[in-house]
Amino acid sequence: MMEWSTTLFGVLDIPMNILPQVQDTSGHFGSCCPEHFGASIPITAVVGDQQSAMFAQCCYDVGDVKYSMGTGAFIDLNTGRKPHASIAGLYPLVGWKIGDELVYLAEGTVHDSGTCLEWLKAVGLCSDISATSRIAQSVSDSGGVYFVPAFSGLQTPINDDKACAGLIGITRETSKAHITRAVLESLAFRFKLLYETVLTETKIPLNYIRADGGVSNNDFVMQLISDIVAQPIDRPSHVDMTSLGAAFLAGLAVGIWEDKEEFKLLRQTEKVFEPQSTWIMYKPIITEWERAVKRSLKWYKG
């Protein structure tokens, strides 16, 4: 049985009697007021953003991994019935509870993913975010330019909220394409840090990696992630998995679907990015990027 932490709420001096009863993720929570939508619509799922995406991605087994790349980015690992906390910045979440099934996730986060692509457009380095993959591939490398994606600090596993975003290595020969490529490469490099943290901290063998979110539409980023971690990356045909997961959970509660195994037949893969042999080329580039990251640390005071 799930319950609130009496220890935590005691430390925070929050009375337990004001808290709602802990319920399953999928079930009957009441109905909305008819004046809002013209009918009293039942509420049959309550779920968090990443938990919902994880459910829609059909990451139902221990070792399944989902990477969502939207405004920020989140890596989630199914750890089964055992929560996992990490000194490197992974934190435990209840993925979902449906009847006797209880699933925990270990999650790591990056606050800046899509924001970096939006910045490229805002400062005039690209006019269309969807074109950044093609622009990055128009040059053979970043020309020695490195970008630190830290508009909101650096999270797992660096955990420095005083870090600053940085663009280093610019020369007179640097072009918009070089900077664009450096920004996209940094998103893949941040995934590599998260991925290695999950491997090191949890010791759980990973089954596969499934990506979603708006940034996952960027082929350059997806292929580079696959290359530098030497794992296939599965991108679904429907990348907004949060809304789909909530719909799945709501449908389970009212009998539209009988079992979550049915969703494995509904999920469709749009593309699988297979690792290419570029690691030898990128190994020194990542080392230099890590040097750039070190220069951005503890930049802000206070």
Side-chain angles (χ1 to χ4, degrees), residues 49-105:
D49 189 358
Q50 300 310 313
Q51 295 95 320
S52 184
M54 191 77 167
F55 193 84
Q57 285 278 37
C58 300
C59 293
Y60 302 146
D61 298 320
V62 175
D64 291 353
V65 173
K66 179 264 321 167
Y67 192 52
S68 296
M69 303 181 73
T71 302
F74 299 84
I75 190 169
D76 289 274
L77 166 69
N78 185 324
T79 63
R81 295 188 68 88
K82 295 182 179 180
H84 176 85
S86 163
I87 58 173
L90 298 177
Y91 46 87
L93 295 173
V94 175
W96 55 85
K97 183 181 182 299
I98 304 172
D100 293 332
E101 180 188 18
L102 173 61
V103 172
Y104 285 98
L105 312 178

Side-chain angles (χ1 to χ4, degrees), residues 233-250:
I233 307 296
D234 181 321
R235 181 174 66 196
S237 56
H238 179 83
V239 297
D240 184 5
M241 301 305 270
T242 294
S243 57
L244 185 61
F248 281 170
L249 287 159

Side-chain angles (χ1 to χ4, degrees), residues 225-264:
I225 286 176
S226 176
D227 292 351
I228 62 179
V229 301
Q231 294 292 332
I233 307 296
D234 181 321
R235 181 174 66 196
S237 56
H238 179 83
V239 297
D240 184 5
M241 301 305 270
T242 294
S243 57
L244 185 61
F248 281 170
L249 287 159
L252 275 177
V254 295
I256 295 176
W257 297 286
E258 295 298 324
D259 187 88
K260 70 179 189 300
E261 294 300 313
E262 295 181 50
F263 303 136
K264 293 180 179 180

Side-chain angles (χ1 to χ4, degrees), residues 3-277:
E3 60 182 20
W4 298 103
S5 170
T6 55
T7 302
L8 177 60
F9 284 94
V11 170
L12 298 174
D13 196 26
I14 297 175
M16 300 293 290
N17 60 2
I18 69 170
L19 301 174
Q21 182 180 352
V22 178
Q23 302 277 12
D24 281 6
T25 309
S26 177
H28 293 272
F29 296 88
S31 300
C32 67
C33 297
E35 55 265 29
H36 295 309
F37 300 105
S40 183
I41 301 172
I43 301 168
T44 56
V46 175
V47 63
D49 189 358
Q50 300 310 313
Q51 295 95 320
S52 184
M54 191 77 167
F55 193 84
Q57 285 278 37
C58 300
C59 293
Y60 302 146
D61 298 320
V62 175
D64 291 353
V65 173
K66 179 264 321 167
Y67 192 52
S68 296
M69 303 181 73
T71 302
F74 299 84
I75 190 169
D76 289 274
L77 166 69
N78 185 324
T79 63
R81 295 188 68 88
K82 295 182 179 180
H84 176 85
S86 163
I87 58 173
L90 298 177
Y91 46 87
L93 295 173
V94 175
W96 55 85
K97 183 181 182 299
I98 304 172
D100 293 332
E101 180 188 18
L102 173 61
V103 172
Y104 285 98
L105 312 178
E107 182 172 276
T109 182
V110 173
H111 287 177
D112 292 299
S113 183
T115 53
C116 299
L117 303 186
E118 292 166 2
W119 174 79
L120 281 173
K121 184 177 181 180
V123 298
L125 291 171
C126 74
S127 58
D128 182 1
I129 289 176
S130 66
T132 55
S133 179
R134 174 182 55 79
I135 294 170
Q137 293 177 76
S138 70
V139 290
S140 60
D141 55 44
S142 67
V145 177
Y146 301 95
F147 181 73
V148 181
F151 293 119
S152 306
L154 290 168
Q155 294 73 48
T156 316
I158 301 169
N159 303 312
D160 181 5
D161 60 358
K162 302 299 190 297
C164 68
L167 191 61
I168 194 168
I170 296 175
T171 68
R172 292 178 62 182
E173 287 72 39
T174 299
S175 67
K176 290 182 178 180
H178 289 126
I179 296 174
T180 299
R181 184 171 179 124
V183 170
L184 297 189
E185 286 178 342
S186 75
L187 303 184
F189 298 164
R190 279 299 281 121
F191 173 80
K192 184 174 184 296
L193 292 182
L194 285 172
Y195 176 76
E196 290 175 345
T197 301
V198 167
L199 286 176
T200 303
E201 294 287 330
T202 67
K203 305 294 191 299
I204 295 175
L206 307 187
N207 300 327
Y208 51 70
I209 303 171
R210 292 179 169 174
D212 58 65
V215 180
S216 72
N217 286 316
N218 192 294
D219 284 1
F220 178 85
V221 173
M222 291 294 98
Q223 185 60 60
L224 183 54
I225 286 176
S226 176
D227 292 351
I228 62 179
V229 301
Q231 294 292 332
I233 307 296
D234 181 321
R235 181 174 66 196
S237 56
H238 179 83
V239 297
D240 184 5
M241 301 305 270
T242 294
S243 57
L244 185 61
F248 281 170
L249 287 159
L252 275 177
V254 295
I256 295 176
W257 297 286
E258 295 298 324
D259 187 88
K260 70 179 189 300
E261 294 300 313
E262 295 181 50
F263 303 136
K264 293 180 179 180
L265 301 176
L266 298 177
R267 184 193 179 277
Q268 295 183 336
T269 295
E270 184 264 326
K271 185 173 182 178
V272 176
F273 295 86
E274 298 288 348
Q276 307 297 316
S277 55

